[in-house]
Amino acid sequence: MTEHRQRTGRSFAVIGAGINGAAIAREITQRFPDALVTMYEKADHVAAHQSGHNSGVVHAGLYYEPGSLKARLCRRGVNLLRDYATANHLPYDECGKIVVALHSEEEDRLRAIHERAVANGVPDVELIGPDRIREIEPNSVGCLALHSPHTAITDYAAIARSLVSDVSAAGGRVHLSAEVVDIDAAPEGATITSAHGSQRRGERTEHVESFDFVIACAGLQSDRVAKMAGGASHPTIVPFFGQYSKLAEEHRTMLNGLVYPVPDPAYPFLGVHLTKRVDGEMLVGPNAFLSFGRENYSGSKIGIKDSIRVATDPAFWKFAAHNVKAAVHELGAVLSRKKFLAGAAEYVPSLKGAVSTPITRGIRAQAMDADGSLIDDFVIEHQGRATFIRNAPSPGATSSMAIAEHILDVISKAHDLAPSSPKSQQKDN
């Protein structure tokens, strides 16, 4: 528990210390300096889950449906994230990205992505031919590509830690190793029961505290946390793991930026791509396959509770029935790293025969509706004075500071909360 100053204003609980929870907690301290802000994180450190297991890409907003929450908050989020990283001397590299069509049948899909990107206000995005592809990425090939020069990479875990430090500096409380086990929502606020300490060592103690407002950013556990407070039964979270491999040192400088495939509508996820990391490493991946455990990052331990939950969910089997081809395709890449790398070598031929080492996998908190469809847009559920982020897939990290603004705007309007700081009046629109 961190030290905190006495507060006389409203009280807010934020569940989850990933980048979304951290951004929301900081936004509260910016708008309401007199508020008491308390963060709960069940892990023993910040950014322990999705925020600490990702490629670090700052998405420009190429793919998203114009006018969707994703599209709007991604573009706003890029600007906020870049400015915050720069002001706080955190890693941020506008290395650029090309989305490459290898065959003529992919070109129409790529042109449609370009139209979306322009509609979303992505700056300086353009379609380029083979000569320009080689100029930007001498080791890459393709018949047509979409170039996004301002797509960037960062360290989301470092940004989350910095945001949480801001919360602490503003007098907020940060409880680590503190799992929320119950939420009692009422019209005037909510009461949170949290278990502190190590369950494995039998040292957990329960605490009960009431708040004026609760905002949950629980990622992989978002559906369970929402249901504690009487939230809707759907969407539910189905975890998909993504395995990246780190290329050998001799391949670290083979690309100037990022190289992505054109998304194939036959598959629910993006496909294998090449990603430069801010520490200089070059990653290839990820594959996407059902994870047997929501937090099974090593792949060595089956989460019994999570696996049973998926196996007994009719929605999952509806999804599976329509994605047999995708499952077979992804399973091949899971079982064979050689096949995995062969996919990347189509875009960068010099990768043939490359050596790579798997790194800790990431796990995507994919929200699924009752009919088995994957939910694409952000989903934010409001229940009186309790708010739950139910779905924040990529570009959720890119959009985190904009998601924070959006949620606080909605809460402030719904409950007639006047800001006690001029900060909220200075936003770019």
Side-chain angles (χ1 to χ4, degrees), residues 347-412:
Y347 299 87
V348 181
S350 56
L351 269 179
K352 289 179 181 177
V355 175
S356 69
T357 306
I359 62 174
T360 303
R361 61 177 54 173
I363 299 179
R364 176 189 181 104
Q366 177 60 60
M368 185 175 289
D369 222 333
D371 63 1
S373 60
L374 302 186
I375 298 177
D376 184 60
D377 206 358
F378 298 151
V379 176
I380 300 169
E381 181 180 344
H382 298 277
Q383 299 180 50
R385 294 194 174 196
T387 299
F388 303 91
I389 297 181
R390 298 292 299 259
N391 191 44
S394 179
T398 300
S399 310
S400 55
M401 298 183 77
I403 290 172
E405 284 187 340
H406 171 75
I407 286 176
L408 266 296
D409 285 347
V410 172
I411 291 173
S412 296

Side-chain angles (χ1 to χ4, degrees), residues 227-257:
K227 289 174 188 176
M228 288 180 193
S233 60
H234 287 86
T236 55
I237 294 299
V238 177
F240 288 87
F241 75 79
Q243 181 70 65
Y244 279 94
S245 284
K246 181 174 66 174
L247 292 172
E249 187 174 352
E250 60 265 29
H251 299 295
R252 292 179 75 178
T253 58
M254 68 186 305
L255 295 176
N256 296 314

Side-chain angles (χ1 to χ4, degrees), residues 124-329:
D124 303 321
V125 68
E126 61 175 339
L127 290 169
I128 59 175
D131 291 342
R132 185 82 170 107
I133 291 172
R134 285 191 294 270
E135 182 181 334
I136 293 168
E137 293 290 359
N139 290 308
S140 186
V141 297
C143 58
L144 187 69
L146 177 64
H147 182 217
S148 173
H150 301 294
T151 294
I153 52 176
T154 191
D155 182 342
Y156 284 116
I159 290 178
R161 289 191 295 268
S162 180
L163 292 167
V164 171
S165 292
D166 292 345
V167 173
S168 294
R173 303 184 296 179
V174 182
H175 297 306
L176 301 176
S177 298
E179 181 180 4
V180 172
V181 295
D182 192 33
I183 303 171
D184 184 9
E188 66 278 5
T191 299
I192 285 179
T193 302
S194 56
H196 297 236
S198 171
Q199 185 175 23
R200 190 171 4 180
R201 295 194 297 267
E203 298 171 351
R204 297 231 290 187
T205 58
E206 287 196 353
H207 298 258
V208 179
E209 190 166 1
S210 295
F211 298 91
D212 296 315
F213 298 93
V214 172
I215 305 172
C217 316
L220 287 155
Q221 307 295 339
S222 61
D223 53 345
R224 291 170 175 162
V225 170
K227 289 174 188 176
M228 288 180 193
S233 60
H234 287 86
T236 55
I237 294 299
V238 177
F240 288 87
F241 75 79
Q243 181 70 65
Y244 279 94
S245 284
K246 181 174 66 174
L247 292 172
E249 187 174 352
E250 60 265 29
H251 299 295
R252 292 179 75 178
T253 58
M254 68 186 305
L255 295 176
N256 296 314
L258 317 177
V259 176
Y260 276 54
V262 178
D264 187 337
Y267 303 108
F269 301 117
L270 182 60
V272 171
H273 47 272
L274 290 147
T275 306
K276 191 167 82 169
R277 214 164 59 177
V278 291
D279 62 1
E281 299 288 358
M282 185 67 67
L283 305 182
V284 58
N287 49 28
F289 204 74
L290 180 66
S291 175
F292 296 102
R294 299 193 185 196
E295 298 169 14
N296 184 17
Y297 299 110
S298 68
S300 61
K301 296 180 180 179
I302 295 178
I304 301 299
K305 176 182 176 183
D306 296 337
S307 299
I308 291 174
R309 173 66 188 84
V310 171
T312 57
D313 185 357
F316 171 74
W317 293 108
K318 293 175 185 176
F319 164 80
H322 291 94
N323 288 278
V324 174
K325 179 182 176 182
V328 172
H329 177 270

